[in-house]
Amino acid sequence: MKYGRRTFLGLVATLPLAGCASLATSLNDHPGFHRFLLLPETLDLAILGAGQPLAREYRPQDISPDFRANGFDPPSDPEYRRWSRNGWRGYRLVVDGLVRLPRSYDLAMLRHAFIRRTQITRHDCVEGWSVIGEWSGVRLADVLNDCGVRPEARYVVFHCMDTDGGGTYYYESLSLKQAAHPQALLAYDLNGKPVPIKNGAPLRLKVPTQLGYKSAKYVKRIEVVAALGGPLGRGGYWEDQGYEWYAGI
Amino acid sequence: MTRTPAKMIYRHPVAVRLTHWLSALALIILAMSGMQIFNAHPALYTGDASTFGHPVFSIGARQASDGTPVGFVQVGSHVIRTTGVLGYGPDGVGGMSARAFPAWATIPAYQDLADGRRWHFFFAWIFVICALIYAPWAVRLLPSRNDLRALPAALREHLPPWRVKPAPRLNPLQKVTYAGIVLVVAPLVILSGLALSPAVDAWAPWLPQLFGGRQFARIWHFGAMLALMLFFVVHLVMVALTGLTNNLRSMITGWLRVP
């Protein structure tokens, strides 16, 4: 009898919750209602994206002992492995699309032909955890200016070398305004050493004002475009899985 | 003995009733979608960054020596077995799996961080809009010095709680409780939630610092949610004990019958 009463009280407590969960889940699976749930993203972008405030920069003693990596396994193609073994000789970052002068850069050019920027910023994963690291690299805006963005351009797409289990490549995108943020960095060093492979070697994007998935790793091509959509999907690998394109929250 | 006829009074204006039900709905959905989000990394830390090996609180699963999965809740150095409910429980698609909060407590029921976030940020807006509309009534909940002086007597009147009679005005114990929830816990849950956003933190770097860092803000956010849920349970019990239909009618039509 005692067991019966406990079960009964348990059901009284959990059934209303289970009812809510199951009702909400069926609404979640309804395409019309799901579109409704996407509405706040536009509002959030309009409010939080209205300016370009700087993310807080931390002190050296705040740096996390290990910069946790998330996402896919490092790129597995033979070319990437060959580059990683010979100090990234052969790797070039390509910048093309709606630019006056499409160019490509090797790591030495990125390290020496541009001003080196260093920032100690917090990396917030969409899962909820945070790590702090010191990133050095070139401002994304400096590279884009070097190629000359054409007036009809609106977005910058980052094509990466890592793939999910099914072979789909990672990619991300920023608006031109977000790409002009002074802390939007193409980083080649983490904590004073070349970016480790697990953290996106040889070059990764770092956008400290948005969640970690916007900071694409293993970047090999930057494409400047007029619009997202079509073959560019919703503007990113995780965006195509239902995550927000604007990852400021 | 003469019985005075019951009197109907207009207790709750329409804005209060509307924001009451809307924020009740929003808070339930926020708690359940929040647990979905929490499941993506069910661990809490102090400070700005995560110290992965040493969370102050975590919900997890491990294998017992005979290979069966065990769910647990860890608080500091204490570990409590919670198999079947927390750490290891129903996955929402007919099986059991390692997940912090069980399928029946999360929105959506199955594991889906992207959609959990969509629900959370939609109903966060509903809750904030309710809070703004309700603000003029919220300030009236501030207990006066007389209310605080009358608090011990009001506490005695609540023993046992079913002896409490419907009244045209809030009693001091109600005032203090509602003020705590509306003026302390609700702003806390909203602000600590905002402190988790990297973009909000760029606009207001003082906000996460107010809570002891971004990860510490998760503790505040989680704790404020627990306080709201505790209030919710006590509130429902008191509504039921002090005249369920009369109380429900007053929050639906506005009219309360007082003796």
Side-chain angles (χ1 to χ4, degrees):
Chain A
M1 272 329 279
K2 214 173 183 183
Y3 183 76
R5 184 187 294 171
R6 267 187 68 177
T7 313
F8 175 74
L9 286 175
L11 282 177
V12 166
T14 58
L15 269 181
L17 275 185
C20 285
S22 109
L23 177 67
T25 306
S26 44
L27 285 172
N28 189 63
D29 296 341
H30 184 275
F33 187 86
H34 198 273
R35 269 199 297 280
F36 191 59
L37 287 177
L38 309 185
L39 292 176
E41 187 185 345
T42 316
L43 189 60
D44 298 337
L45 176 60
I47 295 170
L48 293 172
Q52 297 272 64
L54 296 181
R56 180 181 165 199
E57 300 202 4
Y58 290 82
R59 302 162 303 174
Q61 58 262 45
D62 298 323
I63 293 172
S64 301
D66 173 49
F67 200 96
R68 176 179 276 221
N70 201 9
F72 307 154
D73 291 335
S76 55
D77 61 287
E79 196 174 43
Y80 180 85
R81 288 204 205 152
R82 202 170 58 242
W83 290 339
S84 71
R85 279 196 302 268
N86 66 10
W88 306 107
R89 266 194 306 278
Y91 165 83
R92 291 187 84 84
L93 170 72
V94 174
V95 183
D96 61 5
L98 299 174
V99 286
R100 288 197 188 85
L101 184 66
R103 295 191 67 171
S104 73
Y105 306 88
D106 62 19
L107 278 184
M109 287 168 80
L110 290 171
R111 279 182 185 276
H112 304 298
F114 292 94
I115 298 170
R116 176 188 173 93
R117 307 278 177 181
T118 297
Q119 62 198 30
I120 303 176
T121 49
R122 201 184 65 214
H123 176 99
D124 298 329
C125 180
V126 66
E127 293 174 352
W129 49 267
S130 310
V131 282
I132 295 171
E134 183 196 77
W135 295 95
S136 300
V138 307
R139 269 188 189 155
L140 176 59
D142 290 349
V143 173
L144 291 175
N145 287 339
D146 193 51
C147 302
V149 174
R150 298 168 72 103
E152 63 271 34
R154 291 292 175 271
Y155 294 94
V156 182
V157 182
F158 303 87
H159 298 280
C160 306
M161 296 181 274
D162 51 334
T163 58
D164 67 7
T168 303
Y169 281 95
Y170 198 90
Y171 74 106
E172 254 306 334
S173 61
L174 296 174
S175 69
L176 267 193
K177 183 180 177 186
Q178 292 165 347
H181 191 287
Q183 288 172 318
L185 215 62
L186 289 167
Y188 43 67
D189 283 349
L190 169 61
N191 299 335
K193 297 192 188 82
V195 173
I197 285 182
K198 68 162 183 165
N199 298 114
L203 193 72
R204 78 171 293 177
L205 182 65
K206 220 32 226 117
V207 185
T209 50
Q210 295 194 51
L211 295 174
Y213 66 84
K214 294 302 283 191
S215 293
K217 304 196 277 191
Y218 316 107
V219 177
K220 79 162 185 188
R221 177 179 165 221
I222 297 176
E223 186 190 6
V224 181
V225 298
L228 300 173
L232 291 174
R234 294 192 58 247
Y237 178 86
W238 290 112
E239 286 82 338
D240 291 339
Q241 319 296 317
Y243 286 85
E244 294 89 350
W245 177 80
Y246 177 59
I249 294 188
Chain B
M1 220 164 140
T2 51
R3 220 184 131 104
T4 47
K7 193 169 62 174
M8 296 295 282
I9 60 155
Y10 188 65
R11 176 69 181 274
H12 302 297
V14 64
V16 170
R17 285 178 273 140
L18 202 68
T19 52
H20 170 271
W21 291 113
L22 263 180
S23 49
L25 174 77
L27 281 175
I28 291 168
I29 292 175
L30 282 164
M32 295 178 76
S33 55
M35 288 190 276
Q36 167 73 247
I37 296 170
F38 185 82
N39 277 1
H41 188 75
L44 298 174
Y45 315 89
T46 53
D48 246 319
S50 307
T51 47
F52 295 103
H54 317 278
V56 291
F57 175 91
S58 70
I59 304 178
R62 59 179 168 80
Q63 298 238 312
S65 48
D66 62 349
T68 53
V70 173
F72 66 86
V73 171
Q74 169 255 323
V75 188
S77 54
H78 301 275
V79 177
I80 307 140
R81 280 178 72 137
T82 50
T83 313
V85 184
L86 301 174
Y88 188 83
D91 61 7
V93 283
M96 299 277 276
S97 71
R99 52 182 281 162
F101 288 106
W104 49 260
T106 66
I107 293 177
Y110 45 79
Q111 196 65 47
D112 188 337
L113 173 60
D115 284 346
R117 285 167 51 83
R118 298 287 187 179
W119 281 84
H120 204 72
F121 303 146
F122 188 96
F123 283 92
W125 270 112
I126 304 280
F127 184 55
V128 167
I129 291 167
C130 283
L132 293 176
I133 297 174
Y134 183 70
W137 286 275
V139 291
R140 292 181 213 173
L141 292 171
L142 258 181
S144 65
R145 195 170 295 179
N146 281 340
D147 289 326
L148 293 177
R149 223 176 276 134
L151 198 56
L155 266 169
R156 274 194 299 278
E157 277 167 32
H158 278 72
L159 295 172
W162 51 85
R163 287 231 299 263
V164 181
K165 294 271 181 297
R169 303 182 64 185
L170 293 178
N171 67 55
L173 187 58
Q174 278 177 304
K175 252 187 158 176
V176 170
T177 310
Y178 291 148
I181 289 299
V182 168
L183 300 172
V184 179
V185 180
L188 202 65
V189 84
I190 293 171
L191 291 175
S192 59
L194 285 171
L196 303 180
S197 148
V200 170
D201 289 359
W203 282 100
W206 51 268
L207 187 59
Q209 283 181 300
L210 192 72
F211 293 105
R214 191 214 182 215
Q215 290 300 316
F216 213 135
R218 286 186 91 212
I219 297 181
W220 284 103
H221 199 56
F222 195 79
M225 181 272 287
L226 292 181
L228 283 170
M229 293 304 110
L230 178 68
F231 164 78
F232 192 52
V233 171
V234 174
H235 182 59
L236 287 187
V237 168
M238 289 308 293
V239 164
L241 287 182
T242 59
L244 183 64
T245 48
N246 193 22
N247 285 327
L248 277 178
R249 191 206 313 105
S250 79
M251 202 39 94
I252 294 168
T253 68
W255 291 91
L256 179 77
R257 192 177 60 224
V258 286

